[in-house]
Amino acid sequence: MNTPEAEVSTVSTVLATCYAEVDSAFQRRDHDAVAAHLAPDFVAHQRDGKTLTRDEALSGFRAQMDGFEDVTWPRKVTHLVLDGDVATATVEGTFSATTKDEDGTPRRLQVSGIATDVWTRQGAQWRMTSTRSERREVTMDGVVIPEGD
């Protein structure tokens, strides 16, 4: 039987793999692979107080996949609380991609932040049921874009 510390370590490793799979799916533009990690009742809580359903979030991901090149989205679990089949992870990461402005000039976008993600074990698989943006900084070509712009 796993000790609580061993179980947390195991789940942390599983979630790290899930995040890496989503990063890889973005690079391959594999919408279905991203969707596979989100629970049917997934909800995203944005910093402005708005929420997105699973379908709304996936629609946004599809638009990002279609509009960006050279995407990377590495994330790291920095804290994990495990309560049975529910894992609450504090995650740091940076979404980076190349986009083009109106005249076709390539621009480098980076979105760095911290999120609290809740995952639920569903059978043998962990699926994200919610995410809440805790901190976010957006830069374009290294210049910070203030929130709300």
Side-chain angles (χ1 to χ4, degrees), residues 47-142:
R47 291 186 42 78
D48 62 6
K50 294 179 183 172
T51 59
L52 298 175
T53 65
R54 181 180 192 270
D55 288 343
E56 291 167 333
L58 288 172
S59 177
F61 290 153
R62 184 180 300 279
Q64 291 172 345
M65 287 179 194
D66 291 345
F68 295 139
E69 300 288 332
D70 306 317
V71 174
T72 61
W73 196 7
R75 286 169 282 176
K76 179 182 178 185
V77 176
T78 60
H79 184 72
L80 183 68
V81 175
L82 188 59
D83 184 12
D85 288 337
V86 177
T88 303
T90 302
V91 183
E92 294 182 8
T94 300
F95 178 91
S96 299
T98 300
T99 187
K100 293 185 179 175
D101 62 17
E102 298 81 29
D103 68 0
T105 303
R107 309 283 305 272
R108 193 68 182 161
L109 171 73
Q110 286 195 315
V111 182
S112 299
I114 298 174
T116 300
D117 295 341
V118 178
W119 294 78
T120 303
R121 186 178 359 226
Q122 299 176 350
Q125 188 173 21
W126 286 88
R127 289 203 167 94
M128 190 184 297
T129 55
S130 72
T131 186
R132 179 177 304 278
S133 176
E134 305 293 350
R135 183 185 60 80
R136 186 175 94 142
E137 180 180 83
V138 179
T139 63
M140 184 68 76
D141 298 328

